[in-house]
Amino acid sequence: MKTILPGQTIGIIGGGQLGRMMGVAAKEAGFRIAVLDPTTDSPCGQIADIEIVAPYNDEHALEELSKVSDVITFEFENIDYEGLKRLTEKAYVPQGAELVRITQNRINEKAEIQKSGAPVAPYIAADTFDELVQKIDQIGFPCIVKTAFGGYDGKGQVKLDSKEQLEEASGLFTHSSCIAEAFVPFEKEISVIIQRNLAGESYCLPIAENIHKHHILHESIVPARVDSNVLQQAEKAAEKIASHLELVGTLAVEMFVLTDGKIVINELAPRPHNSGHYSIEACNISQFHQHIRAVCGWPLRKPKLWAPSIMVNVLGEHVEPLTERIANYPDWSIHLYGKAEAKEKRKMGHVTIMTESLEDTLQEIEQSDIWKD
């Protein structure tokens, strides 16, 4: 196992907010940062020592990143797999490229989750709309049809309640093959962030309960308000998946808690995750510091939660009311990501609130006019 030491350079593919927070954690430990992103002055580029502005599949840019970096990681999965695979042949990329190939494609992802022994909802895969029509009776209705490639925050999917609605899914096949999942009635969504180094040492962060608005994560509540047996099932499933995938770095495992107390895995993200941002203030090790430890070959730290906490996303429409009211909330930890333009529904930052009473703080957030629709 190779150990990367302070003073050496960590290359990050992707210059968004996850790369920025990764980079800040790395710089605190004395590392230098190089970032590859198509946009100049990206959130990560603003704090990097070396900024390479080019598309993710630019061979010359990847070559340059490999030359200036002692280790390379990535901040999101929708990067060029073939380019990343070639990069692993000439640079040190401890996470490899296979995890990206698997999680870029929902069909591959579901298959690997099943192979790990973790539970998923019944599903079918279809290359064409005609194939979907032929197979749909295998899972029935209601169901959710999702594109195999791309799609996030509710995009690239449609819920079908009957055969009469099938035509609504036909347009999804213009982009890629699709999967159709049986709709499972669930009570809550939770996420487990598991982190693992090359030695096979792994830890899960305290499990978050996630609340969405308009298909975008609104709040993460920690600890999740579920029974202890649900937490045990969730950690066990995440450990199975991480071990099966031979994870190095970070994997976010999103899952549904069903009415009978069982869980099913929804999807994976092979990088730090929005629902783990609370850990910056609320834990003895943040997801970003732990990720840097994992890819640099350092021993991991067992996470501890200092206090119950709530993370709230700050979207474009929230920035102005939040900044106008900062003085009213001295106990809120405010993170803004340095994005140039505050567009509606665009993630611009987050707030973390450590609290003695989750319910009281949730009510305070609800009553605030910052997050009014």
Side-chain angles (χ1 to χ4, degrees):
M1 184 171 71
K2 192 172 180 179
T3 304
I4 309 300
L5 298 174
Q8 293 184 281
T9 299
I10 299 173
I12 301 174
I13 301 174
Q17 64 262 26
L18 298 178
R20 179 190 182 98
M21 288 182 275
M22 237 186 247
V24 168
K27 289 179 80 69
E28 286 180 2
F31 292 102
R32 287 170 53 81
I33 295 298
V35 62
L36 169 62
D37 192 85
T39 307
T40 188
D41 198 40
S42 65
C44 185
Q46 293 166 14
I47 60 97
D49 301 284
I50 302 167
E51 186 179 13
I52 302 169
V53 181
Y56 300 124
N57 61 354
D58 186 305
E59 287 294 327
H60 295 295
L62 289 168
E63 178 74 24
E64 184 181 353
L65 185 67
S66 71
K67 287 179 178 177
V68 300
S69 304
D70 297 289
V71 61
I72 294 175
T73 184
F74 44 83
E75 68 136 14
F76 73 131
E77 59 271 34
N78 292 321
I79 55 179
D80 181 59
Y81 162 68
E82 293 296 337
L84 182 62
K85 187 178 178 183
R86 288 191 293 273
L87 187 63
T88 64
E89 297 168 2
K90 54 190 173 186
Y92 182 49
V93 188
Q95 293 162 274
E98 276 302 288
L99 189 58
V100 164
R101 182 190 67 81
I102 291 166
T103 53
Q104 276 184 350
N105 183 313
R106 286 190 171 98
I107 297 172
N108 295 341
E109 184 177 277
K110 291 290 183 189
E112 293 302 324
I113 294 170
Q114 277 194 318
K115 287 179 188 175
S116 77
V120 296
Y123 75 96
I124 56 170
D127 292 327
T128 65
F129 178 63
D130 286 342
E131 186 179 359
L132 175 70
V133 173
Q134 291 166 13
K135 289 183 171 179
I136 197 69
D137 286 336
Q138 294 178 28
I139 57 166
F141 298 93
C143 66
I144 301 176
V145 183
K146 302 177 182 179
T147 54
F149 284 94
Y152 63 96
D153 289 345
K155 300 178 178 70
Q157 61 181 262
V158 61
K159 183 172 180 281
L160 305 178
D161 293 307
S162 66
K163 271 190 178 178
E164 287 69 35
Q165 289 182 286
L166 265 173
E167 191 62 37
E168 294 178 22
S170 60
L172 297 177
F173 288 88
T174 62
H175 303 291
S176 75
S177 302
C178 292
I179 65 166
E181 300 174 310
F183 180 79
V184 288
F186 63 93
E187 289 190 338
K188 292 185 178 179
E189 182 190 290
I190 60 175
S191 56
V192 182
I193 294 173
I194 186 166
Q195 300 180 287
R196 187 174 184 268
N197 63 16
L198 276 162
E201 181 184 25
S202 70
Y203 289 111
C204 295
L205 282 176
I207 295 172
E209 173 188 345
N210 298 323
I211 310 293
H212 290 79
K213 283 186 177 181
H214 310 295
H215 301 289
I216 300 171
L217 182 64
H218 172 53
E219 294 169 330
S220 288
I221 301 162
V222 188
R225 296 169 300 176
V226 295
D227 291 340
S228 59
N229 70 308
V230 173
L231 299 177
Q232 291 167 9
Q233 289 179 69
E235 279 206 21
K236 186 175 180 181
E239 288 164 359
K240 282 182 178 180
I241 295 167
S243 178
H244 172 72
L245 296 175
E246 298 181 342
L247 173 70
V248 175
T250 303
L251 185 71
V253 186
E254 297 180 54
M255 54 188 80
F256 296 130
V257 181
L258 308 185
T259 53
D260 62 1
K262 294 181 180 177
I263 59 163
V264 295
I265 310 303
N266 180 29
E267 59 186 15
L268 310 177
R271 36 97 181 148
H273 192 259
N274 198 171
S275 65
H277 292 350
Y278 75 89
S279 61
I280 296 172
E281 283 84 22
C283 292
N284 64 330
I285 182 82
S286 80
Q287 65 170 338
F288 301 103
H289 288 85
Q290 193 87 298
H291 180 81
I292 295 300
R293 283 175 167 265
V295 299
C296 289
W298 290 22
L300 303 187
R301 184 180 299 168
K302 185 176 181 179
K304 295 178 183 177
L305 184 69
W306 295 131
S309 300
I310 300 166
M311 187 284 304
V312 194
N313 266 333
V314 176
L315 306 183
E317 61 268 33
H318 306 142
V319 173
E320 187 175 340
L322 174 66
T323 53
E324 287 175 351
R325 294 162 179 76
I326 283 176
N328 298 335
Y329 303 104
D331 295 331
W332 292 12
S333 297
I334 298 170
H335 298 255
L336 294 175
Y337 303 144
K339 294 182 179 180
E341 188 178 355
K343 297 179 182 177
E344 187 173 348
K345 299 295 180 284
R346 186 186 194 191
K347 292 174 184 172
M348 301 298 295
H350 71 270
V351 170
T352 299
I353 309 164
M354 298 168 69
T355 178
E356 294 180 0
S357 172
L358 288 173
E359 299 305 326
D360 288 349
T361 304
L362 285 166
Q363 189 173 9
E364 178 187 24
I365 294 166
E366 189 67 27
Q367 290 172 348
S368 164
D369 58 1
I370 295 170
W371 287 280
K372 295 290 185 187
D373 287 332

